Amino acid sequence: MAKTDIITRFLIWRIRHLSTKNFVLILSGLIGILAGLAAVILKTAVHAIQKFLTGDFNEAYANFFYIIYPLIGIILAFLIGTYILKDQGGHGIPDLLYNISKKSSLIAKVKMYSRVITSAITVGFGGSVGLEAPIVVTGSAIGSNFGSLMHLNAKKRTLLIGCGAAGAISAIFGAPIGAVIFAIEVILLEVSVGSFIPLLIASVTGSITSMILLGEDVMFTFNLSDSFLAAHMPYYFLLAIFTGIISLYFSRVVLKTESLLGMMEDPWMKVLYGGAFLGLIVFFFPPIYGEGYETLNALIDGDPQRLLANSPFFGEIDNPYFIILFLMLIIFIKPIASAITIGAGGSGGIFAPSLFVGGITGFVFAYTANIFGLPIALPIAHFTLVAMCGVMSGVQHAPLSAIFLIAEITGGYELFLPLMFVSAISFVTTTYFDKDSLYVKQLKDTGRYLTESKDEEVLDNIDIRKVMERDLLPIAPEARLGDLCRLVQLSKRNIFPVVNENGELAGIITLDDIRDIMFNEEKQKDIKIQQLMHSPPEVIYPDENMQKVMEKFEKSGAWNLPVVEDGIYLGFISKSRIFNAYRKRLIRQNLE
């Protein structure tokens, strides 16, 4: 029996025996399991590669391997992604958001496994990025393709994408609540109350899958021995401002570095130069190798000296002031290393790097304060974890996700108050200067517009060419007023485009422009159209998004505007036609 026949029979059975609501619940659990399985495979592959490459390091030569490993990883990821999988690396989440907003939540099948392969190689060989974005793309692709296979509409596919993302994050971090919040805050535009249940199911099944296969293997290993003190709140306020500033730096440096790499037209130049430069960075700063969670564990344990152990230059130095300087340099260099890894052809995300930079920021803050003898000693582990929350909130503009994620991985809610406080202040500080998250800015820098609400999504999906009106009668600039009067008798419209012999829009004339003179026979013979025409208040281009079109209507106060492409007149768009198309789309989506 053919595969399509089996699916068709199953769908017929499903329609008879299962409501769409219950079917989505079942799918959400299955997608959560598959996303969790993908996360387990990815984590296991990365650890296996790293163990193979660095397990028997000779300390005398270790750092020289650090120089070449990232370059090899980026080359392999680029080759496999470009020529075998036909899916190049990159951040992943910006593309995911674009697919949801602009492509009816349809994600290519290859993404169900491609990012697992390329990111495992990239990070396993020391690429300075995280696994969270690739596994979110993987889980989301699984959700999208299951939705398509089961012939679910775009709205349900979007929900299943969120389920895949929630299951993936939950499996990676063991934080099911934070994973659900992340899916809602970062991935999905809008979520109804009924949508929470599938997300919860996917998150739980993803986490359980990871626990069964990996046991208690978690990102961070520590116990919070110190209690939260209200007396620390002024210092948390300063930390929040500090993490907000670091978040701004992180986002802007990532974008600037990727922009500089983008100036190289030859992709192999980016791969070779980027990989070589990344290797040099890791040579001097070994903690930048890979994701960096071991570094964070060392800082949470209050043992920064472990970070210098693999350095050929600084391994014997045991000076607290040098440690502060070393860590501050890593804070400034890590965003560059992450952007180089992705921009040069590797696969990964900035989720883990933002946590990495945040953790070091918090450690430096508390460690420095304690060295200089403040009246009250600051708990280093607390400030390290809370700063991770602050930088994640600022970079990704996801304050709730950051709060619940860090609260869960700490194993309790002892730090809930400072997490909420620092996340909020960091978010406000960052958004004061940059209203868009790093993901949205990456889309805008590549010329892709992302809607900010469901209403905008509906409006922006209206195709200008489909609502454009072509029944307006054109007239040549050399024609006489009398010619226009004859067109008025034939036309049902009160506006006339003036188009030259090359099809270019020269101007427009409205009925109001000629009302006082149109019955004057002498003027009908003498006055040329080019004497009466005037420029339209705004011009619309067929590739513009509908938000920009509506801004032009509002700015000009017009109800009809011409559409031109390379100066050639195509037609007119009326505001009422747009509103009518919007209402139809909205009704159709609500029925779905």
mmCIF file of all heavy atoms in Angstrom, residues 447-465:
data_model
loop_
_atom_site.group_PDB
_atom_site.id
_atom_site.type_symbol
_atom_site.label_atom_id
_atom_site.label_comp_id
_atom_site.label_asym_id
_atom_site.label_seq_id
_atom_site.Cartn_x
_atom_site.Cartn_y
_atom_site.Cartn_z
ATOM 1 N N GLY A 447 16.458 43.066 5.017
ATOM 2 C CA GLY A 447 15.362 43.570 4.206
ATOM 3 C C GLY A 447 14.062 42.828 4.379
ATOM 4 O O GLY A 447 13.140 42.984 3.587
ATOM 5 N N ARG A 448 13.964 42.013 5.431
ATOM 6 C CA ARG A 448 12.736 41.253 5.665
ATOM 7 C C ARG A 448 11.979 41.863 6.828
ATOM 8 O O ARG A 448 12.549 42.091 7.904
ATOM 9 C CB ARG A 448 13.051 39.776 5.936
ATOM 10 C CG ARG A 448 13.635 39.070 4.729
ATOM 11 C CD ARG A 448 13.955 37.624 5.033
ATOM 12 N NE ARG A 448 15.058 37.495 5.971
ATOM 13 C CZ ARG A 448 15.482 36.337 6.459
ATOM 14 N NH1 ARG A 448 14.894 35.217 6.105
ATOM 15 N NH2 ARG A 448 16.491 36.289 7.300
ATOM 16 N N TYR A 449 10.709 42.112 6.602
ATOM 17 C CA TYR A 449 9.879 42.767 7.607
ATOM 18 C C TYR A 449 9.126 41.731 8.418
ATOM 19 O O TYR A 449 8.622 40.749 7.876
ATOM 20 C CB TYR A 449 8.884 43.711 6.927
ATOM 21 C CG TYR A 449 7.941 44.407 7.877
ATOM 22 C CD1 TYR A 449 8.346 45.531 8.568
ATOM 23 C CD2 TYR A 449 6.651 43.918 8.072
ATOM 24 C CE1 TYR A 449 7.482 46.172 9.440
ATOM 25 C CE2 TYR A 449 5.787 44.549 8.934
ATOM 26 C CZ TYR A 449 6.205 45.693 9.620
ATOM 27 O OH TYR A 449 5.344 46.307 10.485
ATOM 28 N N LEU A 450 9.073 41.929 9.726
ATOM 29 C CA LEU A 450 8.369 41.005 10.611
ATOM 30 C C LEU A 450 7.239 41.741 11.312
ATOM 31 O O LEU A 450 7.462 42.784 11.934
ATOM 32 C CB LEU A 450 9.327 40.430 11.648
ATOM 33 C CG LEU A 450 8.794 39.275 12.495
ATOM 34 C CD1 LEU A 450 8.568 38.056 11.623
ATOM 35 C CD2 LEU A 450 9.753 38.963 13.622
ATOM 36 N N THR A 451 6.032 41.218 11.213
ATOM 37 C CA THR A 451 4.893 41.854 11.853
ATOM 38 C C THR A 451 4.979 41.690 13.360
ATOM 39 O O THR A 451 5.551 40.741 13.878
ATOM 40 C CB THR A 451 3.572 41.228 11.370
ATOM 41 O OG1 THR A 451 3.636 39.813 11.555
ATOM 42 C CG2 THR A 451 3.358 41.516 9.900
ATOM 43 N N GLU A 452 4.391 42.643 14.080
ATOM 44 C CA GLU A 452 4.478 42.640 15.530
ATOM 45 C C GLU A 452 3.195 42.175 16.194
ATOM 46 O O GLU A 452 3.146 42.011 17.403
ATOM 47 C CB GLU A 452 4.831 44.051 16.032
ATOM 48 C CG GLU A 452 6.195 44.525 15.534
ATOM 49 C CD GLU A 452 6.530 45.922 15.998
ATOM 50 O OE1 GLU A 452 5.679 46.523 16.690
ATOM 51 O OE2 GLU A 452 7.624 46.403 15.696
ATOM 52 N N SER A 453 2.117 41.985 15.451
ATOM 53 C CA SER A 453 0.858 41.537 16.023
ATOM 54 C C SER A 453 0.103 40.733 14.984
ATOM 55 O O SER A 453 0.457 40.717 13.804
ATOM 56 C CB SER A 453 0.009 42.733 16.473
ATOM 57 O OG SER A 453 -0.431 43.472 15.352
ATOM 58 N N LYS A 454 -0.970 40.067 15.433
ATOM 59 C CA LYS A 454 -1.780 39.276 14.515
ATOM 60 C C LYS A 454 -2.461 40.155 13.481
ATOM 61 O O LYS A 454 -2.579 39.798 12.311
ATOM 62 C CB LYS A 454 -2.826 38.485 15.313
ATOM 63 C CG LYS A 454 -3.390 37.296 14.568
ATOM 64 C CD LYS A 454 -2.331 36.236 14.349
ATOM 65 C CE LYS A 454 -2.879 35.017 13.645
ATOM 66 N NZ LYS A 454 -1.833 34.017 13.398
ATOM 67 N N ASP A 455 -2.926 41.337 13.908
ATOM 68 C CA ASP A 455 -3.565 42.251 12.962
ATOM 69 C C ASP A 455 -2.596 42.662 11.868
ATOM 70 O O ASP A 455 -2.946 42.714 10.686
ATOM 71 C CB ASP A 455 -4.078 43.495 13.698
ATOM 72 C CG ASP A 455 -5.318 43.196 14.525
ATOM 73 O OD1 ASP A 455 -5.997 42.200 14.213
ATOM 74 O OD2 ASP A 455 -5.596 43.931 15.469
ATOM 75 N N GLU A 456 -1.358 42.967 12.256
ATOM 76 C CA GLU A 456 -0.357 43.351 11.266
ATOM 77 C C GLU A 456 -0.040 42.183 10.338
ATOM 78 O O GLU A 456 0.203 42.381 9.153
ATOM 79 C CB GLU A 456 0.920 43.827 11.971
ATOM 80 C CG GLU A 456 0.782 45.191 12.624
ATOM 81 C CD GLU A 456 2.116 45.699 13.135
ATOM 82 O OE1 GLU A 456 3.146 45.078 12.814
ATOM 83 O OE2 GLU A 456 2.129 46.709 13.844
ATOM 84 N N GLU A 457 -0.030 40.970 10.902
ATOM 85 C CA GLU A 457 0.247 39.798 10.070
ATOM 86 C C GLU A 457 -0.829 39.627 9.000
ATOM 87 O O GLU A 457 -0.523 39.359 7.837
ATOM 88 C CB GLU A 457 0.312 38.548 10.937
ATOM 89 C CG GLU A 457 0.624 37.299 10.147
ATOM 90 C CD GLU A 457 0.551 36.051 10.986
ATOM 91 O OE1 GLU A 457 0.349 36.160 12.204
ATOM 92 O OE2 GLU A 457 0.680 34.961 10.416
ATOM 93 N N VAL A 458 -2.100 39.795 9.397
ATOM 94 C CA VAL A 458 -3.197 39.671 8.435
ATOM 95 C C VAL A 458 -3.057 40.732 7.355
ATOM 96 O O VAL A 458 -3.174 40.455 6.159
ATOM 97 C CB VAL A 458 -4.565 39.806 9.146
ATOM 98 C CG1 VAL A 458 -5.687 39.845 8.117
ATOM 99 C CG2 VAL A 458 -4.779 38.643 10.105
ATOM 100 N N LEU A 459 -2.803 41.970 7.777
ATOM 101 C CA LEU A 459 -2.685 43.074 6.820
ATOM 102 C C LEU A 459 -1.498 42.876 5.895
ATOM 103 O O LEU A 459 -1.582 43.111 4.689
ATOM 104 C CB LEU A 459 -2.558 44.395 7.593
ATOM 105 C CG LEU A 459 -2.539 45.680 6.769
ATOM 106 C CD1 LEU A 459 -3.849 45.857 6.018
ATOM 107 C CD2 LEU A 459 -2.263 46.883 7.670
ATOM 108 N N ASP A 460 -0.383 42.419 6.469
ATOM 109 C CA ASP A 460 0.840 42.330 5.680
ATOM 110 C C ASP A 460 0.816 41.184 4.682
ATOM 111 O O ASP A 460 1.623 41.151 3.756
ATOM 112 C CB ASP A 460 2.043 42.169 6.617
ATOM 113 C CG ASP A 460 3.313 42.733 6.010
ATOM 114 O OD1 ASP A 460 3.301 43.910 5.609
ATOM 115 O OD2 ASP A 460 4.299 41.990 5.917
ATOM 116 N N ASN A 461 -0.080 40.231 4.870
ATOM 117 C CA ASN A 461 -0.185 39.121 3.925
ATOM 118 C C ASN A 461 -1.031 39.461 2.705
ATOM 119 O O ASN A 461 -1.230 38.609 1.828
ATOM 120 C CB ASN A 461 -0.765 37.886 4.628
ATOM 121 C CG ASN A 461 0.278 37.172 5.466
ATOM 122 O OD1 ASN A 461 1.452 37.185 5.147
ATOM 123 N ND2 ASN A 461 -0.152 36.566 6.566
ATOM 124 N N ILE A 462 -1.566 40.673 2.663
ATOM 125 C CA ILE A 462 -2.326 41.115 1.494
ATOM 126 C C ILE A 462 -1.343 41.468 0.375
ATOM 127 O O ILE A 462 -0.436 42.272 0.564
ATOM 128 C CB ILE A 462 -3.210 42.330 1.844
ATOM 129 C CG1 ILE A 462 -4.238 41.934 2.918
ATOM 130 C CG2 ILE A 462 -3.920 42.858 0.607
ATOM 131 C CD1 ILE A 462 -5.049 43.105 3.440
ATOM 132 N N ASP A 463 -1.522 40.875 -0.781
ATOM 133 C CA ASP A 463 -0.643 41.095 -1.927
ATOM 134 C C ASP A 463 -1.087 42.355 -2.669
ATOM 135 O O ASP A 463 -2.237 42.474 -3.090
ATOM 136 C CB ASP A 463 -0.707 39.886 -2.856
ATOM 137 C CG ASP A 463 0.346 39.945 -3.959
ATOM 138 O OD1 ASP A 463 0.880 41.042 -4.220
ATOM 139 O OD2 ASP A 463 0.630 38.892 -4.560
ATOM 140 N N ILE A 464 -0.160 43.295 -2.818
ATOM 141 C CA ILE A 464 -0.477 44.559 -3.479
ATOM 142 C C ILE A 464 -1.009 44.326 -4.885
ATOM 143 O O ILE A 464 -1.984 44.956 -5.320
ATOM 144 C CB ILE A 464 0.769 45.471 -3.523
ATOM 145 C CG1 ILE A 464 1.071 46.003 -2.115
ATOM 146 C CG2 ILE A 464 0.576 46.635 -4.493
ATOM 147 C CD1 ILE A 464 2.285 46.878 -2.040
ATOM 148 N N ARG A 465 -0.407 43.399 -5.616
ATOM 149 C CA ARG A 465 -0.820 43.177 -7.003
ATOM 150 C C ARG A 465 -2.243 42.628 -7.095
ATOM 151 O O ARG A 465 -2.924 42.823 -8.093
ATOM 152 C CB ARG A 465 0.159 42.219 -7.688
ATOM 153 C CG ARG A 465 1.563 42.805 -7.849
ATOM 154 C CD ARG A 465 2.470 41.834 -8.577
ATOM 155 N NE ARG A 465 3.854 42.299 -8.619
ATOM 156 C CZ ARG A 465 4.350 43.102 -9.558
ATOM 157 N NH1 ARG A 465 3.566 43.517 -10.529
ATOM 158 N NH2 ARG A 465 5.613 43.485 -9.527
#
